[in-house]
Amino acid sequence: MTTSRTTSRHVLFAAPDRIEIDETPVPDPADGDMLVRVRRVGICATDLHLLAGHIGEPFPLVPGHEFVGEVAAMGVAAGADRGVGVGDHVAVEMSLPCRSCPRCREGRYNLCDRDDPAAGLDRGRQYGVNIPRTVAPGLWGGYAQYLTVPAEAIVHHIPHHVPWDVAALAEPLAVAYRAIARAGVRPGESVAVIGPGPVGLLTAAAARSAGAGRVVAVGTRQNRLDLARRFGADHTINGRERDVREALVDDAGGLCDVVIEAAGRVEAQQQAVGLVRRGGRVVLAGACGAGASVTFRADEDLLTREIDVLPSFLSAGGFEPAITLLARAELPFAALVTHRFGLDDVAAAYDVIERRDQDVIKVVLDPWSTDGFTRS
């Protein structure tokens, strides 16, 4: 089945700090492959790190890993393999696992060890992060109108009633659910979430849906802390106004069973170990950028308190519960998407994010929009 277009417009990171708009030919998909028409893609802090050259040298790169869209074309075998058809709404996981290395076989496909010499990679491939545009067919990032989905990609069906802006939250919510799974949150346990950005707010929602008995959101931006209550937080603590540990003990029920860091800052990771009870679990889910280092006191913070410190990387296993929660529409997910831009206005979108302008929370791109910025 052929596509309705012969080329796909996309954003290109041509080199560090250099954004271009380019086009790539759109081929018919091979037998086991699909072609997805991208309808929304979320902007992640990782994208800004990539542009700055803080995460390797993948240039030239089409960025974007938080994408959702509709199936535009399929190879002969793709439908039977995936259980979806042309016109279906889908989310595609950012990891392209080999499914055969030891990590993939044990279910941790986010840690795929596959080598890909053609892409210059010595470990797993990720949409919009480490597959250069020079790798054929060049449709490997979500800041684009079309994207190729090879047979090894992991595809999830999204119900048609979920709006595109809300559907674009599937990947960050899946990241949140993986953090909850890594923590092993049990019904009735208390959970503190540091960093009420999009992932942090969604982590509060995921913790509540997992049965947490008490959820505390910790941050420094009051508008986001207020929103955290709408996503399941029982208590909020503004670190600019209170000593967080003191407020947690005095006003929010004590140190928590689980603390999840979603801020992507070394200071937040250090803070996390001080907010968990003895014998509790800390999950570090925020990416701080290449070269960042964090220091804990070996005895006072870790050994004598016997806490577990668990990194959580990407979203493996999180998409199914994430899409289920989005489809139930019980929470105000649309309130998280505050800004929408077209492909030509990526630089303006980044400026809003970096300046924390206009009460920005989550910014998405509509690859088919010609209207520039629209307030969601």
Side-chain angles (χ1 to χ4, degrees), residues 16-204:
D17 297 318
R18 188 169 134 205
I19 299 174
E20 298 178 0
I21 301 295
D22 202 356
E23 291 194 9
T24 295
V26 177
D28 293 341
D31 277 356
D33 298 351
M34 301 187 335
L35 187 75
V36 167
R37 183 178 190 259
V38 180
R39 295 299 302 270
R40 292 292 188 279
V41 55
I43 293 178
C44 174
T46 297
D47 304 339
L48 279 72
H49 284 305
L50 282 163
L51 178 62
H54 296 162
I55 306 178
E57 291 287 337
F59 310 105
L61 178 77
V62 180
H65 59 272
E66 298 182 2
F67 54 87
V68 290
E70 55 197 354
V71 179
M74 306 182 70
V76 174
D81 292 344
R82 301 186 185 281
V84 297
V86 172
D88 281 349
H89 295 188
V90 295
V92 183
E93 297 197 25
M94 68 179 291
S95 296
L96 288 167
C98 70
R99 302 176 185 257
S100 60
C101 74
R103 300 292 75 76
C104 284
R105 291 200 304 270
E106 70 183 17
R108 301 179 77 179
Y109 57 87
N110 56 314
L111 303 179
C112 177
D113 282 330
R114 172 182 179 175
D115 293 336
D116 190 347
L121 301 177
D122 58 3
R123 58 182 177 180
R125 302 177 301 162
Q126 299 164 21
Y127 275 113
V129 173
N130 64 1
I131 309 176
R133 204 276 305 273
T134 51
V135 176
L139 304 173
W140 300 110
Y143 285 29
Q145 293 176 324
Y146 288 99
L147 183 135
T148 193
V149 180
E152 64 267 32
I154 303 172
V155 179
H156 301 273
H157 180 266
I158 298 175
H160 273 252
H161 72 269
V162 180
W164 285 121
D165 283 355
V166 172
L169 299 174
E171 196 275 344
L173 182 53
V175 169
Y177 267 111
R178 179 161 185 83
I180 294 297
R182 288 283 286 159
V185 174
R186 296 182 286 268
E189 288 194 310
S190 56
V191 178
V193 180
I194 301 175
V199 172
L201 292 166
L202 293 169
T203 300

Side-chain angles (χ1 to χ4, degrees), residues 247-273:
L248 195 61
V249 172
D250 293 346
D251 302 332
L255 300 182
C256 290
D257 299 306
V258 173
V259 178
I260 298 175
E261 175 275 320
R265 293 186 298 106
V266 166
E267 298 82 3
Q269 295 187 345
Q270 292 170 324
Q271 182 184 49
V273 301

